[in-house]
Amino acid sequence: MAPQKSTYDAIVIGAGIQGSFTAYHLAQRHQDTLLLEQFLLPHSRGSSHGQSRIIRSAYPQEYYSCMMPECFRLWQQLEAETGTTLYRQTGLVVLGPPGEPELEACRRSLGVDEVLDAAALSRRFPGFRLQAGQVAVLDSTAGVLFADRALRAVQVGAVFRRHGGTLRDGEKVLSIQPGATVTVTTTAGVYKTPRLIITAGAWAGAFVEQLGLRLPLQPLRIDVCYWREKQPGSAGLGSVSPCFLTLGLSQAPHGIYGLPSIEYPGLMKVCHHHGSPTDPEKRDQAPSSAPRPDIAVLSSFISSYLPGLETQPAVMETCLYTNTPDEDFILDRHPKFSNIVIGAGFSGHGFKLAPVVGKLLCELSLGEEPSYNMAHFAITRFPGVLGAAQ
C-alpha cells in the first residue's frame, strides 16, 4: 500500500535512542519529520533495548562530561512531558588504581574529592571489596535510566506527537539517492526530503557505503549477564547498591560495569565492556556452545570484587555495540553531501548522551553551528573514508 505522504522536511533512518531523540528535536523545531525503523517496535535487535543503562556525570573525557548537565536536564524534561519516571538515582563508584589517568580525569570531571579506599568503600557499600591499594571515586549524581521506557517516551512523547512527527516501523530502507533532495526508497514506498539523518546503529556502515563512505565501524555482540545474590537482599547488593565501572584494572582489560538488581529481583547486572565481532543480521544465530571468554573474565572479577554474588551468570542476554577505533562517536555531515548527517559508532556508551546527541544531529541537519565542539566526532579523523567513492 502506497504511503499517504511522500515529502518531509527531515527523515531519520533508525529509531533507536539516538535517532528517536534526533527526530524529537527536529519536531520541536517544527520540522515535519519522518522516523523510519526497519523492525516492528519494540524489538531487541539493536543497541537501545533492555530495561536499564547507567547515567553518570563522571567521564574521563571533558568533551563528554561537559554535555552531561544538559543531558540530565533534558532527561528530566522528558520525564515531565510524558509523566513517566525514567531515572533512578543510585550513585556510581569508579574503581581503579590510584593515580590512574582516566580515574583522575573522572574525579576532576565531578569537581569533588570523594575518593574512598577499600575500607571506606566496604563500610559505605558492603557488597564491594577492593583489592589492597585500590580506590573508588564516588559519583553521587549517577543512577539508572529505564531504557525501554525512555525509548518509548521519546518516540511517542508529547513533543513528537504535538508537532506531527511520523514514526513508521517495520519499514526497511532499500536505497538512498543523494542530491539537493534526497530520495529514500523503502519496502513501503518512496520519500523525498531536503535533509536526511542516518542513525542506523550496527547497520550504519552498510548505509553509508552506498553513499561512497567507508567508516571504520565494528559491530560487536555483547554478553549481558545477570548474577544472583548468594543471599537475596544481602546488604549492599539490593536496591541501594550503586552502579559501578572499572578503569585501569588489570583484571578487566576492557573495563567492567554493573547495575543494581532493578531489572530482575535478586540479580545484579555485571558486564564486560567488550564483545566479539558480529554481523548484525546474524547476531542471534551464534551457537550456544561457542566459547565466551568474557564470562571467564567476569567470573574472576566477581569472585574478587563482588563476593556476595554467585560466580556463574543466572541469566544471559545479548546486545550490540557499534565501535569506532577510538570509541568516540561519529556525529558529522557527509563529506560530499552536506544535507546527509551521520550519527554512528556509539561504542557502548551513547545511551545517556542521547538527548544532546539528538540535539547536535538536529543542528547539523539544519545547517546550524553545533552547541558543542565537534572536533572529536568528525568523520575526517579517519583517513581514507572516501576511498569507496573514488
Side-chain angles (χ1 to χ4, degrees):
M1 190 174 78
Q4 294 178 327
K5 180 179 166 67
S6 63
T7 304
Y8 291 87
D9 295 336
I11 295 176
V12 181
I13 299 175
I17 196 65
Q18 312 297 347
S20 295
F21 257 115
T22 303
Y24 166 98
H25 283 289
L26 285 161
Q28 201 168 37
R29 302 286 298 275
H30 304 284
Q31 300 294 306
D32 184 11
T33 303
L34 172 63
L35 177 58
L36 291 169
E37 171 54 50
Q38 64 173 325
F39 301 117
L40 290 170
L41 295 170
H43 70 84
S44 59
R45 298 285 302 276
S47 303
S48 295
H49 66 283
Q51 296 176 52
S52 63
R53 296 290 188 282
I54 294 174
I55 183 169
R56 56 188 161 105
S57 298
Y59 243 108
Q61 300 88 355
E62 190 274 337
Y63 47 92
Y64 292 119
S65 64
C66 73
M67 296 178 183
M68 286 313 302
E70 186 174 12
C71 286
F72 275 100
R73 183 176 62 74
L74 290 172
W75 281 116
Q76 287 161 0
Q77 183 179 305
L78 184 64
E79 283 189 317
E81 284 169 5
T82 58
T84 310
T85 301
L86 303 177
Y87 162 71
R88 177 170 172 183
Q89 190 170 353
T90 64
L92 169 129
V93 286
V94 187
L95 313 176
E100 201 280 331
E102 289 201 324
L103 190 73
E104 283 299 303
C106 277
R107 186 182 60 74
R108 286 194 301 272
S109 75
L110 294 169
V112 296
D113 272 325
E114 189 143 22
V115 178
L116 309 175
D117 62 13
L121 181 70
S122 63
R123 278 196 304 274
R124 185 85 168 259
F125 305 114
F128 289 89
R129 185 170 69 197
L130 280 176
Q131 308 304 292
Q134 293 172 350
V135 295
V137 172
L138 178 62
D139 177 354
S140 59
T141 69
V144 175
L145 284 170
F146 301 122
D148 284 345
R149 206 184 290 175
L151 184 62
R152 192 77 187 135
V154 71
Q155 286 169 346
V156 300
V159 167
F160 195 56
R161 280 204 316 271
R162 186 165 60 240
H163 294 298
T166 304
L167 171 60
R168 294 181 66 95
D169 62 346
E171 189 163 338
K172 185 171 182 160
V173 172
L174 302 175
S175 69
I176 299 164
Q177 187 63 43
T181 297
V182 182
T183 303
V184 178
T185 303
T186 74
T187 47
V190 179
Y191 305 99
K192 292 185 182 294
T193 183
R195 57 185 63 85
L196 176 71
I197 303 93
I198 298 171
T199 50
W203 289 264
F207 275 120
V208 300
E209 212 158 300
Q210 298 180 38
L211 302 168
L213 203 54
R214 203 161 273 164
L215 296 179
L217 296 171
Q218 177 60 69
L220 297 176
R221 181 181 186 274
I222 305 296
D223 290 320
V224 180
C225 303
Y226 300 83
W227 310 75
R228 194 178 307 283
E229 297 171 14
K230 289 176 180 174
Q231 295 181 329
S234 53
L237 289 174
S239 58
V240 296
S241 172
C243 302
F244 77 87
L245 59 89
T246 71
L247 287 173
L249 290 183
S250 57
Q251 300 92 326
H254 297 279
I256 288 172
Y257 64 92
L259 294 86
S261 53
I262 289 173
E263 294 181 53
Y264 300 110
L267 300 183
M268 190 171 180
K269 181 177 180 176
V270 182
C271 306
H272 197 199
H273 190 61
H274 189 55
S276 49
T278 191
D279 176 343
E281 294 290 348
K282 299 174 182 170
R283 178 190 99 186
D284 298 325
Q285 296 171 22
S288 57
S289 59
R292 292 186 161 178
D294 294 334
I295 305 302
V297 170
L298 289 168
S299 294
S300 171
F301 174 85
I302 282 168
S303 62
S304 296
Y305 287 83
L306 297 163
L309 298 180
E310 302 284 356
T311 55
Q312 290 301 311
V315 175
M316 287 178 57
E317 298 171 354
T318 60
C319 188
L320 285 177
Y321 285 5
T322 306
N323 279 33
T324 60
D326 56 14
E327 296 190 7
D328 285 327
F329 310 157
I330 292 170
L331 310 172
D332 204 353
R333 298 182 183 98
H334 190 291
K336 283 183 71 176
F337 312 115
S338 61
N339 61 343
I340 297 178
V341 172
I342 298 154
F346 294 99
S347 303
H349 67 107
F351 200 101
K352 71 186 82 61
L353 286 145
V356 165
V357 165
K359 178 183 174 183
L360 291 168
L361 294 173
C362 170
E363 290 168 343
L364 286 169
S365 74
L366 293 173
E368 298 174 356
E369 184 67 27
S371 300
Y372 294 86
N373 183 343
M374 302 295 279
H376 291 279
F377 311 122
I379 286 172
T380 51
R381 73 187 194 268
F382 301 116
V385 292
L386 271 171
Q390 304 307 316

